[in-house]
Amino acid sequence: MTNARVASGQPVVQFHGKWPFHRLLGMQEPFSVLFSLGNLAAHWDGLGKVRARIPASYPLRPWYVWLARVGIASWVFSAVFHTRDFQATEELDYFAAGANVLYGMYYTPIRVFRLDRNTPRRRSLLRVWSLLCASLYLCHVAYLKLVRWDYTYNMAANVAAGVVQNILWSWFSYNRYRTSRRTWAIWPGLVVAWVMFAMSMELFDFPPWLGCIDAHSLWHLITIGPTLLWYKYATSLARLLLP
């Protein structure tokens, strides 16, 4: 348990790493649910943009579609978990969030190094990379489910996958802007910086304001913007590069 004091001087007690919240319509953490649904809507809107604006002939389109689908699933399970915290909802939230982060790491080299292009070398690299990422995810889930439910390990694994893709996107953005001097080239770097700022919310643990809004819910809120910007970048660039 962790104790803190609000303005009234009354202690607020944290049980098992979670602050008490005022419930709304039975939801344990209503603002985390609301902002999770906001992220879900951003991915849903992104999926619609990908389908409407990028022709099926564009090689990267399937990866954009699955990026949106995995994001939608992840935020559905996040909303469910923050509505009701049971073992099953917690596990589904963690496994879906892990899939979302790992898919981002999987997709990033495909886009940055264009492993989608139909050459023998790239096809071989894509098969190896796909097998490696699938194996990593299965081992991750198996460890958490069958060996030990380890919060520290789970966080470290997600941070490591996030750092890899953030470094690649930052390099990609810098290199593209240096060679093209186009404004669109800085968008991936802007998204990375925005997401890193959002993740920093997890470092600030404070009793929920008005019994409703905590650092975790703010993290969910701040990630909506970069998601919308990302799909705008992806669809705009795809259309720009089409013949």
Side-chain angles (χ1 to χ4, degrees):
M1 294 188 299
T2 301
N3 291 324
R5 290 187 177 274
V6 295
S8 65
Q10 296 298 318
V12 179
V13 183
Q14 191 178 39
F15 294 91
H16 303 290
K18 296 178 73 69
W19 297 106
F21 291 85
H22 295 310
R23 295 195 180 193
L24 175 64
L25 301 177
M27 293 182 288
Q28 289 178 312
E29 300 173 65
F31 277 89
S32 286
V33 174
L34 175 64
F35 299 147
S36 292
L37 294 176
N39 280 279
L40 189 161
H43 282 283
W44 187 275
D45 180 69
L47 180 59
K49 283 185 169 66
V50 169
R51 287 174 167 169
R53 299 180 181 180
I54 302 179
S57 59
Y58 186 61
L60 284 168
R61 188 178 189 268
W63 279 274
Y64 289 135
V65 169
W66 277 105
L67 183 70
R69 287 173 175 171
V70 173
I72 289 169
S74 172
W75 290 107
V76 165
F77 288 119
S78 174
V80 171
F81 170 59
H82 289 299
T83 299
R84 287 287 178 170
D85 182 357
F86 299 121
Q87 179 178 344
T89 59
E90 181 180 40
E91 290 180 357
L92 288 170
D93 176 45
Y94 276 57
F95 295 154
N100 193 29
V101 174
L102 187 60
Y103 185 84
M105 189 184 77
Y106 167 68
Y107 155 77
T108 300
I110 295 174
R111 174 62 188 89
V112 170
F113 302 114
R114 293 309 304 265
L115 299 184
D116 61 297
R117 287 177 175 163
N118 193 22
T119 66
R121 181 178 177 82
R122 283 188 167 90
R123 283 199 302 269
S124 297
L125 287 172
L126 179 58
R127 282 194 292 268
V128 171
W129 179 238
S130 299
L131 180 61
L132 175 61
C133 288
S135 300
L136 287 173
Y137 181 69
L138 290 175
C139 289
H140 175 71
V141 171
Y143 176 78
L144 289 174
K145 184 66 178 175
L146 303 176
V147 179
R148 182 185 177 190
W149 187 259
D150 189 330
Y151 293 99
T152 302
Y153 156 74
N154 181 73
M155 177 64 72
N158 281 280
V159 168
V163 166
V164 169
Q165 57 188 294
N166 287 344
I167 290 173
L168 284 174
W169 279 120
S170 297
W171 171 82
F172 174 81
S173 185
Y174 168 76
N175 193 53
R176 280 299 181 92
Y177 181 74
R178 183 174 58 84
T179 56
S180 69
R181 298 296 176 181
R182 300 286 186 87
T183 303
W184 57 262
I186 68 172
W187 287 11
L190 177 60
V191 170
V192 165
W194 198 335
V195 169
M196 290 179 67
F197 171 72
M199 290 180 65
S200 72
M201 289 293 101
E202 287 290 88
L203 302 177
F204 301 102
D205 193 21
F206 52 83
W209 297 333
L210 304 177
C212 297
I213 301 176
D214 66 337
H216 189 79
S217 64
L218 291 177
W219 171 37
H220 288 345
L221 171 64
I222 298 171
T223 53
I224 297 172
T227 302
L228 294 170
L229 180 60
W230 176 253
Y231 284 110
K232 178 177 175 61
Y233 162 78
T235 54
S236 298
L237 182 59
R239 296 175 68 186
L240 180 67
L241 296 178
L242 286 171

